[in-house]
Amino acid sequence: MSGLKNSPFGKRLRAAHDDRATVRPPPTPPTTAPDYGDRFVPSRDGGNMRTSYHLLDDSGPSTPAKARLIPCESDALREQANAIFTSILHSEVTPPSPRRPVSPTRPAASTSAVPPSTPTRRRLFAYASPASVPTTPTRRLDTPTDEAYSMSPVRPESRRLLESTRRSLRSVSKTPYRVLDAPELADDFYLNLVDWSSTNVLAVGLVSCVYLWTAHNAAVSKLCDLADHNDTVSSVSWVQRGTTLAVGTLSGRMHIYDAATLSLQRTYDAAHAQRIGALAWNAHVLSSGSRDRSVHHRDVREPAQRPFRRCAGHRQEVCGLKWSADAGPAAATLASGGNDNKVCIWDLRGSRRPPPRPPAASGADDAP
């Protein structure tokens, strides 16, 4: 018997018996995230679609792309399409409701307290139409154009918006149809060296000369040259109706020209103490603004050199003048802009023009 235990067969039998006696734990399966699928249907019972739509964030992305400096025609078309889409989305998501829902109210507490009891109803869902929902009236079904018979996927309001006529966009050329040479044009934005006339003539001041360019025949003519007076043009301005042109200079002089005959009509030698950078016409009244911080008003029909009114309201150079209307009695309000970051409004309706005074008299200063 001892020989059988020590034999190879006995050793294999004991090894098999030891393996059965040892209890091994089962292998642990790998843990994976639960897969819920793509059949999740959100519940909108406790929400309000109109309120949710208006609470949407209309802001763009956190890192917006670099905007183009020059807008193009496609940007205007895209903006118009986005506005139509927003209107349709608002009409479809939040349609106008004929009757507003009444806020639920808590029922009044009963005087007789009823003890709670276990309900005897065994059904979980109730299949009954609520009495508060109105049914479709019969008179609506008699109308062929009713919404109930519509085959369109959108509402009538949205359909009318889609079928409406689009606003035609005006095509603006991005390149000039003509380029004029303007050598030595002063690089100073305080000066007004270009102005159009009512007869379609362009006046340009270049150093000491003023040139006229006629648009209908592209003719160029030289109006004046101030090199003999050692002066430079600082502003030009056409009268509202006519061919009269006013020219201001750096030395404070002001010249009146007739562009039809290319002749000088009048010169104000001491119009201002410093350069004249802004001119504005109101019929026969010529207003001028200068670096001496004053605005002068002159009637070009009078031979007097002195202005009939002076306005002092700026602390730095006057660089812009504009009347409230083209011409006439109603245009009695003048706006002046200065380098002191101020715009002054002047009311000249009560101003009276005194008769010509002797040269020793001085004009009165007015404040805005």
Side-chain angles (χ1 to χ4, degrees):
M1 194 68 177
S2 60
L4 181 61
K5 291 181 180 180
N6 297 330
S7 63
F9 177 75
K11 294 179 180 179
R12 287 197 300 270
L13 184 61
R14 286 197 305 270
H17 181 71
D18 294 339
D19 292 340
R20 289 180 187 153
T22 304
V23 180
R24 296 181 179 178
T28 304
T31 58
T32 58
D35 187 8
Y36 295 105
D38 57 348
R39 299 300 179 185
F40 175 72
V41 179
S43 176
R44 296 186 176 90
D45 293 339
N48 190 335
M49 292 294 294
R50 183 182 295 272
T51 304
S52 301
Y53 176 79
H54 288 289
L55 290 178
L56 289 176
D57 188 10
D58 295 336
S59 60
S62 57
T63 55
K66 184 179 180 181
R68 279 178 287 185
L69 298 179
I70 302 178
C72 58
E73 186 177 357
S74 60
D75 297 337
L77 294 174
R78 188 182 300 107
E79 182 179 356
Q80 184 180 19
N82 291 339
I84 295 176
F85 174 76
T86 303
S87 301
I88 294 177
L89 182 62
H90 182 270
S91 176
E92 294 297 321
V93 174
T94 61
S97 54
R99 64 176 63 179
R100 299 179 61 87
V102 182
S103 301
T105 57
R106 179 175 297 179
S110 177
T111 55
S112 60
V114 179
S117 60
T118 304
T120 57
R121 186 177 178 178
R122 296 182 179 277
R123 291 192 305 170
L124 182 62
F125 300 102
Y127 301 94
S129 299
S132 61
V133 178
T135 59
T136 304
T138 309
R139 61 178 180 272
R140 285 185 52 192
L141 302 180
D142 297 337
T143 307
T145 58
D146 190 79
E147 186 179 355
Y149 300 105
S150 177
M151 301 296 294
S152 176
V154 296
R155 300 179 183 275
E157 295 81 4
S158 302
R159 186 168 63 252
R160 284 193 296 268
L161 181 61
L162 291 173
E163 295 174 355
S164 61
T165 305
R166 299 289 183 273
R167 179 175 59 89
S168 58
L169 299 176
R170 184 168 61 94
S171 178
V172 180
S173 178
K174 301 178 179 61
T175 57
Y177 76 95
R178 187 181 295 271
V179 179
L180 304 177
D181 293 333
E184 299 183 4
L185 184 65
D187 185 11
D188 191 345
F189 55 85
Y190 288 106
L191 307 181
N192 295 273
L193 300 174
V194 178
D195 193 25
W196 278 98
S197 71
S198 59
T199 58
N200 207 14
V201 178
L202 177 65
V204 182
L206 299 177
V207 193
S208 61
C209 302
V210 176
Y211 293 90
L212 305 179
W213 180 76
T214 307
H216 68 274
N217 58 5
V220 178
S221 57
K222 185 177 180 179
L223 178 64
C224 64
D225 190 354
L226 305 178
D228 298 338
H229 302 279
N230 194 19
D231 209 347
T232 304
V233 177
S234 58
S235 59
V236 294
S237 178
W238 290 95
V239 70
Q240 284 90 349
R241 298 175 183 87
T243 59
T244 304
L245 179 68
V247 178
T249 65
L250 291 182
S251 62
R253 296 189 181 95
M254 190 164 55
H255 308 278
I256 308 297
Y257 289 91
D258 185 4
T261 59
L262 302 181
S263 60
L264 177 64
Q265 293 183 340
R266 183 172 300 175
T267 299
Y268 298 94
D269 291 328
H272 285 274
Q274 299 184 31
R275 71 177 186 182
I276 302 173
L279 296 170
W281 286 88
N282 181 14
H284 50 268
V285 176
L286 177 59
S287 303
S288 58
S290 172
R291 182 178 278 180
D292 60 6
R293 302 171 294 179
S294 63
V295 179
H296 293 179
H297 306 279
R298 289 179 172 85
D299 192 338
V300 296
R301 300 174 300 179
E302 299 177 357
Q305 290 283 329
R306 293 182 176 275
F308 68 87
R309 185 166 183 177
R310 300 175 181 176
C311 301
H314 292 279
R315 297 183 178 180
Q316 293 188 24
E317 179 179 4
V318 179
C319 51
L321 294 174
K322 187 64 177 179
W323 284 93
S324 59
D326 292 338
T333 306
L334 176 69
S336 63
N339 195 28
D340 52 357
N341 300 327
K342 291 182 180 180
V343 175
C344 298
I345 308 299
W346 309 89
D347 189 1
L348 305 178
R349 286 176 294 185
S351 61
R352 295 182 179 180
R353 299 167 195 173
R357 300 179 180 179
S362 59
D365 293 346
D366 298 323

